Amino acid sequence: RKEVEQDPGPFNVPEGATVAFNCTYSNSASQSFFWYRQDCRKEPKLLMSVYSSGNEDGRFTAQLNRASQYISLLIRDSKLSDSATYLCVVNPGREYGNKLVFGAGTILRVKS
Amino acid sequence: DGGITQSPKYLFRKEGQNVTLSCEQNLNHDAMYWYRQDPGQGLRLIYYSQIVNDFQKGDIAEGYSVSREKKESFPLTVTSAQKNPTAFYLCASRAGTGLHEQYFGPGTRLTVT
């Protein structure tokens, strides 16, 4: 089983749609969680950190479910500019040197 | 402007040659990282350094070497021993404690023929 698993997609949605991505992680002791966005042939950029209580940043909402070991990202009112690959990233903690573990990414294509 | 720079953006080398990729940051971050990304795969950690003059192997260190003589610089050498060196190489840095997020440079796309 991969340490961080994501549905690779692609998710093809129309502008204005709501889309949700899930990500599961295998290490129950994982300490911190992030969503990064990566555009084609560019570096990953931090979209948001994920907190236990869930957090929202504009059209983006992240949720963490420790019991089921999954993280979700919800994008409301999708824009064409949201088209990218979304990377789920997990920090398994000090025991593992605080080394981030990256999922392979979920591709989102927003169409007009 | 604070940030992480990597050079060059594109690099072409012949098989059997060593090549060094540059990574510089002016964010005053203690920790720096090197990853490689292959199509359809997640980022894989090559080497990381949490403090000057110290570094550790990541998951795929074979065929690579690094140095960390200055806080702001963490160059990566891809040696001829690396069997599949063609990839997108990303450098990152992190501030504060281990649980903080990492920030990435723009990457170097290496092609070896």
Side-chain angles (χ1 to χ4, degrees), chain B residues 15-86:
Chain B
E15 209 173 295
Q17 292 179 332
N18 291 357
V19 60
T20 297
L21 311 184
S22 164
C23 177
E24 305 277 330
Q25 55 98 359
N26 61 4
L27 300 167
N28 200 33
H29 287 175
D30 287 313
M32 297 184 74
Y33 304 80
W34 274 106
Y35 297 89
R36 74 174 271 168
Q37 186 175 35
D38 296 281
Q41 295 191 36
L43 277 68
R44 292 184 291 166
L45 183 64
I46 304 172
Y47 266 98
Y48 64 106
S49 167
Q50 303 204 64
I51 196 167
V52 174
N53 292 323
D54 186 47
F55 49 82
Q56 285 81 40
K57 292 182 180 179
D59 302 316
I60 54 163
E62 186 176 346
Y64 299 98
S65 66
V66 293
S67 63
R68 186 86 187 276
E69 297 175 2
K70 297 186 294 182
K71 187 175 185 178
E72 57 270 22
S73 178
F74 191 40
L76 173 75
T77 297
V78 184
T79 74
S80 56
Q82 167 49 231
K83 292 184 175 30
N84 297 297
T86 294

Side-chain angles (χ1 to χ4, degrees), chain A residues 32 36 38 41 43 91 99, chain B residues 37 45 98-99 102 105 109:
Chain A
S32 55
Y36 280 74
Q38 186 173 24
R41 303 177 74 82
E43 75 274 24
N91 183 337
K99 295 180 287 183
Chain B
Q37 186 175 35
L45 183 64
L99 300 183
Q102 295 179 12
R109 203 163 289 274

Side-chain angles (χ1 to χ4, degrees), chain A residues 3 31-32 34 36 38 40-46 49 87 91 93-94 96-105, chain B residues 9-10 33 35 37 40-43 45 48 50 57-59 88 90 98-107 109:
Chain A
E3 291 185 74
Q31 299 291 307
S32 55
F34 309 96
Y36 280 74
Q38 186 173 24
C40 189
R41 303 177 74 82
K42 300 279 194 180
E43 75 274 24
K45 293 189 176 176
L46 179 69
S49 302
L87 306 178
N91 183 337
R94 182 176 293 183
Y96 299 88
N98 283 314
K99 295 180 287 183
L100 297 185
V101 180
F102 290 78
Chain B
K9 192 171 182 179
Y10 298 96
Y33 304 80
Y35 297 89
Q37 186 175 35
Q41 295 191 36
L43 277 68
L45 183 64
Y48 64 106
Q50 303 204 64
K57 292 182 180 179
D59 302 316
F88 187 36
L90 288 155
L99 300 183
H100 281 56
E101 62 275 8
Q102 295 179 12
Y103 294 93
F104 287 85
R109 203 163 289 274

Side-chain angles (χ1 to χ4, degrees), chain A residues 12-69:
Chain A
N12 295 301
V13 303
E15 272 186 291
T18 295
V19 62
F21 308 136
N22 285 334
C23 162
T24 58
Y25 60 95
S26 59
N27 187 337
S28 59
S30 294
Q31 299 291 307
S32 55
F33 310 87
F34 309 96
W35 283 102
Y36 280 74
R37 170 199 168 120
Q38 186 173 24
D39 292 291
C40 189
R41 303 177 74 82
K42 300 279 194 180
E43 75 274 24
K45 293 189 176 176
L46 179 69
L47 181 64
M48 54 199 308
S49 302
V50 186
Y51 303 117
S52 295
S53 55
N55 46 302
E56 188 175 308
D57 182 1
R59 297 182 293 109
F60 299 85
T61 300
Q63 295 277 355
L64 168 63
N65 184 321
R66 284 191 184 272
S68 300
Q69 292 177 216

